[in-house]
Amino acid sequence: MVDKLVNSEANARRIQMVENCFGTSGQPLFLPGRVLVGEGVLTKMCRKRPKARQFFLFNDILVYGNIVIGKKKYNKQHLIPLEEVQLQALEDSGQYRNGWLIRTATKSFAVYAATQTEKQEWMAHINKCIEDLLRKSGKKPVETHAAVWVPDSEATICMHCKKTQFTMLIRRHHCRNCGAVVCGPCSSKKFILPGQSNKPLRVCLDCYDNLTSLKRDGNKSQIGNNNKPANSPESSGEDDSGDEEETVKESDTHDEPKFYGDDKNDK
């Protein structure tokens, strides 16, 4: 599929259109050998609420952004190298259906497709691109991934002390190691998490004690590796600042995703 598109005019035209839709707010996307494999709208579980995001799957990166004008303009572009990505299917839970986790060393979050078929298509295409990329590069999959943040709406009280109730004045904070929603006093410590930052990051008191113990024992293999069960909707929604700029209704954004390469019109 990718080999057929790599030098095609159709592929170059599609990538140029993606660049144009992001405008000056996005990075240039055309590179020799890069192929746009597919595109479509997915619901990303953000910190405050689920939001529609436009995703573009290339053979080496996953790109997504806020939808400003459907199919015409996007902003807040995010690029994720596929060699860092690991997918994990989520079980359906209430209104959250057809979802999976996108995990990387620096950021992890949940996304949801409109149907089970679309979920299967997205996961299959992403995994195939990852498999091909790792095989060609000879690299091994990344084993340590950032925690998936629990959405603000899932925690009315601190998940550490189980006492502090969040209000307009008492803010929610997220532990960067486990993703839990905690109060200020319960996340007063910081720790360097390899892969996420070279600066100390906010962690909850439980994680601080565990990480300090691991460091003291000389065993760093678990640092930053979130092994918490993932069958509830979660997010690492640090990219939600400025969401008030969105002008599109999420209900108006959905079309079936397009995956290129096996279309008889692609030449």
Side-chain angles (χ1 to χ4, degrees), residues 52-83:
R53 295 288 184 258
Q54 182 73 26
F55 280 77
F56 299 93
L57 173 61
F58 295 83
N59 59 330
D60 62 335
I61 57 173
L62 185 65
V63 178
Y64 71 92
N66 293 15
I67 302 170
V68 180
I69 302 175
K71 301 181 182 179
K72 294 183 179 180
K73 185 179 179 182
Y74 314 112
N75 65 10
K76 298 188 182 302
Q77 184 190 74
H78 296 263
L79 278 67
I80 304 175
L82 283 181
E83 61 187 23

Side-chain angles (χ1 to χ4, degrees), residues 39-41 118 121 254-258:
E39 60 181 280
V41 175
E118 291 183 16
E121 288 180 340
H254 182 71
D255 284 316
E256 291 187 3
K258 297 178 181 178

Side-chain angles (χ1 to χ4, degrees), residues 112-257:
Y112 295 85
T115 67
Q116 180 68 18
T117 298
E118 291 183 16
K119 171 184 176 178
Q120 293 172 349
E121 288 180 340
W122 271 106
M123 292 189 70
H125 280 88
I126 295 173
N127 278 326
K128 182 64 165 63
C129 289
I130 295 171
E131 179 185 331
D132 291 345
L133 189 63
L134 291 176
R135 186 182 69 250
K136 291 177 181 178
S137 67
K139 296 181 179 179
K140 295 182 179 180
V142 175
E143 296 182 354
T144 301
H145 302 94
V148 183
W149 285 17
V150 176
D152 287 359
S153 60
E154 297 295 310
T156 57
I157 64 172
C158 174
M159 297 175 69
H160 179 265
C161 67
K162 313 292 185 186
K163 297 177 181 179
T164 302
Q165 187 166 5
F166 299 117
T167 66
M168 292 290 290
L169 298 179
I170 301 178
R171 289 186 55 203
R172 292 172 172 84
H173 299 278
H174 279 84
C175 172
R176 268 55 172 184
N177 188 65
C178 72
V181 182
V182 289
C183 63
C186 290
S187 58
S188 59
K189 301 289 187 178
K190 292 187 176 182
F191 199 92
I192 294 178
L193 302 175
Q196 292 195 47
S197 175
N198 56 5
K199 297 180 180 180
L201 299 175
R202 181 188 294 269
V203 295
C204 69
L205 298 182
D206 280 345
C207 283
Y208 181 81
D209 290 342
N210 292 335
L211 294 169
T212 302
S213 177
L214 286 170
K215 182 178 181 180
R216 185 169 55 245
D217 295 341
N219 180 6
K220 301 180 182 180
S221 62
Q222 296 300 315
I223 293 179
N225 187 15
N226 176 34
N227 294 316
K228 186 158 55 86
N231 40 3
S232 61
E234 298 173 325
S235 167
S236 65
E238 288 184 288
D239 64 326
D240 296 333
S241 60
D243 283 343
E244 64 275 9
E245 297 176 7
E246 297 181 55
T247 58
V248 63
K249 294 181 179 179
E250 295 185 19
S251 59
D252 296 335
T253 60
H254 182 71
D255 284 316
E256 291 187 3

Side-chain angles (χ1 to χ4, degrees), residues 83-118:
E83 61 187 23
E84 301 177 5
V85 171
Q86 180 189 71
L87 303 187
Q88 179 182 338
L90 290 173
E91 296 180 2
D92 293 346
S93 175
Q95 63 176 316
Y96 300 106
R97 308 179 67 82
N98 312 314
W100 67 96
L101 297 180
I102 296 176
R103 294 182 178 274
T104 75
T106 57
K107 184 180 181 67
S108 300
F109 54 91
V111 293
Y112 295 85
T115 67
Q116 180 68 18
T117 298
E118 291 183 16

